[in-house]
Every structure is written in structure tokens, then in C-alpha cells.
Amino acid sequence: MLKIVQRSKPLKGEITIPADKSISHRAVMLSSLARGKCIISNFSSGADCWSTLNIFKQLGVGIKEIDKKTIEITSDGNLKKSFTTLDAGNSGTTTRLLAGILAGQNFDSQIIGDNSLSKRPMKRIIEPLTQMGAKIESVDNHLPLTIYGQKLHGIIYSMPLPSAQVKSAVLLAGLNAEGRTTVIEPTKSRNHTELMLKYLGADVNINNNEITVSGSELIAKDIEIVGDISSAAFFIVAGLIVPDSDFIIKNVGINPTRSGILDIIKRMGANVEILNKRVVSGEECADIHVQYCDNLKSCTIEGNDIPRLIDELPVIAVLASQAEGKTVVKNAEDLRNKESDRIKCLVAELKKLGINIDENPDGFIVHGKTKLSETDLPLESYHDHRLAMSFYVAGMICEKEICINGFEWTEISFPEFEQLIWELN
Ligand code: S3P
């Protein structure tokens, strides 16, 4: 679908950001492994989370959609064999976490996915799970994965790269393994799995970058899902760069392992106000007041910053184009393994708008500040939801309208995106 984006008026008013995608996946998975009945409220409408939900239905869990955002899950804590393949669609989180869960079952399963997912690396989970005793067949470390359920044993796993998906796959396998399983992270990545395991009563110990889990029974408990800071990021950036914007984004998850973008904004000399801080089902959340900033300055984003804002880097590149000076992003090589090669594709498309951006093996450099120019060429989304929305935000400050090819991919995480933009117009 070709989407036309016009220069935006100032954004004003108030919106509520829909549910966090990472937490929605985990809510379905962990409630399916828990004994009892629970209600998940404010569930994500993103297609990725519905891939997870449909898979757990296939695995015999009692899942009822009370309405689009309210899901009732009833389980005795056990999964059943699915006689058809499990389709994870476009979702890396579904695939990798599910592999950890399925590795220790007393049945075999097969996970498949779409073209983009089938190109993404799975060795990162196959390796540690195999160390735990898992038997997984792949096509050269890619999907389809055939998982032969085995008895697993705990391991101590020092992760070579920071990845919440790998960490979670190992911890979820550890729930069903003999002995203790410890994961040591090089840099702290999002900790939603650990927080939810704790919330549901698992035996989990968190000591800085070291997380240990033992075989435990989870007890079902209602879960309310906070809004997604990765979705809010498009609005935060839009608010900072569309002149005279001033609005509030309600109910945004601000878990410190996810809120790197808020630190970067401060580093760039802007300010967002964090209001009404609270904790919802074990996760911190708040309302965020965003105002236009006309004197953004460049910064360096590297090391420990990266896992805390990995999904926000494409829209941060757009923000950097409006900051004075050289914004450098390094140590982000894993961006090349996302829904697209997010370094190569981002750089190619932003150049079309006249953004002065260089590609590096592990990131990019943006030289600002640039007035964005119009282009006759459509910007390509490369089947990548976050690129599509980042380009939309760039289009909001272009002099003339631009068009984006493949905008329907926003359905993966944020079907409400454009509707919410209109609400602020
Ligand atoms: C996610 C972890 C991150 C992130 C992805 C969601 C998760 O991936 O990019 O969008 O929910 O655990 P990695 O674990 O590969 O860094």
C-alpha cells in the first residue's frame, strides 16, 4: 500500500498509546504456562502478538477473546501437541521465546514464519538450548525449526550478545529444566520476562546482569499491559520536530531497560515531562508531555545505550537529522538482523529525503541539521513496520508530500498509528 504523508500541522491534545508488544507476547506465553484463569487487559492489536495468541490456542490452551483487547486464559499449566505447524508470521519474539518453551515439552513441534522471519538468524537460540539438552533441527540455522521435545537440564549461559529474546528463550526453557539455569548478559536488555516470571510467582533471582531461574509452577494472575514506549517513540520524535507541537501521551511503559530514548532526548538538549508515574502489573508506566524543541543538539549513542533503545534507532535517526552536529550510533550491528537490515535500508531511504547520513558496519552517522527535501521516489518500507513509521514521521516535516511504499506493515506492531496522528491534528 502506497501512503501519502503531508507536512503536519502542530500536534496538540492527548493520546493513549496501545499495549506494549513485548509484554503482550509474554503475557500470553506465561499465562498459558500458569495454572488457573486470568484476564489480560489492554492486549496489543499488533499482528505479531496475535501470532503468539493463535499458536497457544493451537497448543491446547483455553484462550477466549472477550473483546479485541481483553483476553481470558485458562490453563492447567500444560501444553498439548499441535498436529499442524506453528506459524510465527513476522515475529522474532514469538519464534525465539516459543522455541525455549517447546524445547522441554514431551511432544514435538515445528515453527514456521514469513519470508522476512525465515531470513533471521536462529543460531543464537539453537546453541544455548542445545547445551540444555534440546534437539532442534533447522535449515542452516533458519526457519523452519523442528523441535523434538526433550528432558532439559539447567546451564550457566554467558550470552555473547545482549538480546532479550535469547535471554528469555533460555529462561523459559529453564522453567521446565532439571536444576538451575543462569543467564549472564553482557549488557542489560529488556527484563519483561524476569518481571513477569516474578509477578506469577516463579523462583527467579535477579542480580544485576545475572538471572537465575529454577523449575517452578506459575500461578495465573490478571495482567494489565502498559503502553508501548517503542510505539510512543514515533510520537515523541514527531512532537519534538513538528513546530509548535505540545501534547500528552498517556500510559507509556517506562521500564528503565526500555526507556533509553528518554535519556537520549535529554542528551540532545530537549525535555519531556514524565507525569503520573505508577506501577501496573509489575511494570513502571507514566504519562509523557512532549513539546517542540528548536535547538536539538547531536549526541553519541553506543554501548549500554543500545539494548535500551534498539527498536527506536530508525526514528532516532530522523530526530538526529533535526539536531545541530554529528549524531553517531555505534555498537548496533544487530540492527542488521531485524525485520530488515535496518542500517542499510534506513540509510538508503533517508538519503532520498536529503538527510546527510553515512552507513557504518555497526551503526550510522547523521550530520544535522537538514531541511528535508521532497522526492519523487517512494520511500520503501522493506516489509518493516518500524521503518514505515519512521519515514512517516520524517514526512511530517517535509516541505512537500512524500509517499511510502508498504505502509500496511505497520499492522505488525501498531495498527492504530495513523489514527492517533490524526487525533493530534
Ligand atoms: C524483543 C527484543 C529485542 C527487540 C524486539 C523485541 C523482545 O530483540 O528488538 O523487537 O520482546 O524480547 P533482541 O532480543 O533480538 O535484541
Side-chain angles (χ1 to χ4, degrees):
M1 181 178 97
L2 206 58
K3 168 68 62 188
I4 293 174
V5 187
Q6 271 156 357
R7 189 174 173 82
S8 176
K9 292 192 287 205
L11 302 169
K12 305 268 183 192
E14 192 177 285
I15 51 166
T16 300
I17 282 293
D20 189 278
K21 179 158 89 73
S22 291
I23 303 176
S24 294
H25 285 298
R26 286 155 173 86
V28 171
M29 293 180 179
L30 295 186
S31 302
S32 295
L33 296 175
R35 187 195 290 273
K37 186 191 264 196
C38 74
I39 299 282
I40 300 173
S41 48
N42 194 34
F43 186 67
S44 167
S45 49
D48 272 6
C49 298
W50 286 78
S51 295
T52 294
L53 192 113
N54 288 329
I55 286 175
F56 280 84
K57 277 187 189 168
Q58 273 179 268
L59 292 167
V61 179
I63 298 182
K64 202 159 100 190
E65 296 144 38
I66 305 225
D67 60 47
K68 278 197 152 177
K69 289 182 163 188
T70 315
I71 313 292
E72 183 188 273
I73 300 198
T74 312
S75 176
D76 61 3
N78 297 307
L79 305 178
K80 294 188 188 66
K81 181 179 171 78
S82 164
F83 288 92
T84 47
T85 52
L86 305 169
D87 187 353
N90 189 245
S91 175
T93 308
T94 307
T95 309
R96 297 191 176 118
L97 273 60
L98 182 65
I101 292 173
L102 294 176
Q105 301 297 326
N106 55 7
F107 55 80
D108 305 337
S109 324
Q110 190 175 53
I111 310 177
I112 57 166
D114 71 6
N115 274 342
S116 144
L117 187 58
S118 301
K119 288 188 196 128
R120 295 179 67 184
M122 294 299 153
K123 190 170 174 196
R124 54 184 66 194
I125 50 146
I126 295 175
E127 248 173 26
L129 294 175
T130 304
Q131 284 178 30
M132 297 178 79
K135 201 172 155 213
I136 303 178
E137 260 172 32
S138 69
V139 179
D140 204 13
N141 290 311
H142 292 84
L143 292 186
L145 297 182
T146 308
I147 302 179
Y148 301 97
Q150 302 289 312
K151 282 215 174 325
L152 305 180
H153 53 83
I155 55 168
I156 299 176
Y157 187 60
S158 237
M159 292 177 31
L161 82 166
S163 161
Q165 293 178 353
V166 176
K167 169 176 67 176
S168 303
V170 176
L171 292 176
L172 292 174
L175 264 190
N176 203 6
E178 181 89 22
R180 285 143 62 94
T181 300
T182 299
V183 180
I184 305 164
E185 299 189 85
T187 311
K188 215 162 176 33
S189 65
R190 66 190 69 191
N191 63 357
H192 306 302
T193 303
E194 300 91 292
L195 292 185
M196 201 177 287
L197 281 171
K198 265 206 158 156
Y199 181 76
L200 299 180
D203 180 5
V204 51
N205 203 302
I206 307 169
N207 186 0
N208 284 321
N209 290 15
E210 209 173 294
I211 306 111
T212 300
V213 71
S214 309
S216 347
E217 184 169 287
L218 307 181
I219 305 297
K221 201 166 156 186
D222 291 348
I223 300 172
E224 184 183 333
I225 299 171
V226 298
D228 198 326
I229 191 165
S230 299
S231 299
F234 301 109
F235 288 84
I236 294 173
V237 170
L240 291 172
I241 65 176
V242 172
D244 298 325
S245 294
D246 184 344
F247 59 90
I248 290 189
I249 313 174
K250 295 190 83 173
N251 197 33
V252 183
I254 52 160
N255 178 323
T257 63
R258 288 285 297 283
S259 57
I261 186 166
L262 301 180
D263 300 339
I264 293 310
I265 284 166
K266 270 202 198 121
R267 240 179 257 172
M268 295 177 91
N271 206 2
V272 290
E273 227 184 325
I274 308 293
L275 310 164
N276 197 14
K277 263 198 189 185
R278 54 209 186 267
V279 176
V280 174
S281 302
E283 290 279 352
E284 283 180 51
C285 87
D287 304 333
I288 300 183
H289 179 196
V290 190
Q291 282 172 296
Y292 172 63
C293 177
D294 68 354
N295 54 357
L296 290 165
K297 55 180 195 296
S298 60
C299 72
T300 296
I301 306 173
E302 61 185 335
N304 295 350
D305 297 328
I306 300 297
R308 299 178 57 236
L309 45 65
I310 184 81
D311 293 338
E312 288 67 80
L313 285 169
V315 79
I316 287 175
V318 176
L319 179 66
S321 76
Q322 300 311 300
E324 210 61 64
K326 189 166 106 176
T327 295
V328 182
V329 173
K330 358 182 195 184
N331 312 123
E333 49 278 269
D334 209 33
L335 264 190
R336 295 193 183 274
N337 297 314
K338 299 293 178 188
E339 286 82 333
S340 68
D341 176 340
R342 280 191 183 152
I343 298 179
K344 184 171 151 220
C345 302
L346 179 73
V347 169
E349 300 311 299
L350 291 187
K351 277 188 171 161
K352 290 182 183 167
L353 298 176
I355 293 181
N356 187 347
I357 180 168
D358 307 323
E359 178 177 351
N360 280 336
D362 69 340
F364 51 83
I365 300 179
V366 181
H367 308 264
K369 172 176 184 172
T370 318
K371 204 167 179 183
L372 304 198
S373 48
E374 73 264 30
T375 170
D376 290 338
L377 298 169
L379 270 70
E380 287 300 330
S381 314
Y382 301 92
H383 303 179
D384 184 331
H385 54 128
R386 297 202 197 281
L387 290 188
M389 290 183 277
S390 302
F391 299 153
Y392 191 106
V393 173
M396 292 169 80
I397 56 162
C398 283
E399 281 300 322
K400 299 230 174 87
E401 65 182 35
I402 62 158
C403 52
I404 303 171
N405 206 7
F407 198 72
E408 67 279 10
W409 284 89
T410 53
E411 295 282 324
I412 288 296
S413 63
F414 197 2
E416 306 86 345
F417 172 75
E418 199 179 24
Q419 177 63 39
L420 290 177
I421 295 274
W422 291 335
E423 278 181 32
L424 292 175
N425 258 294

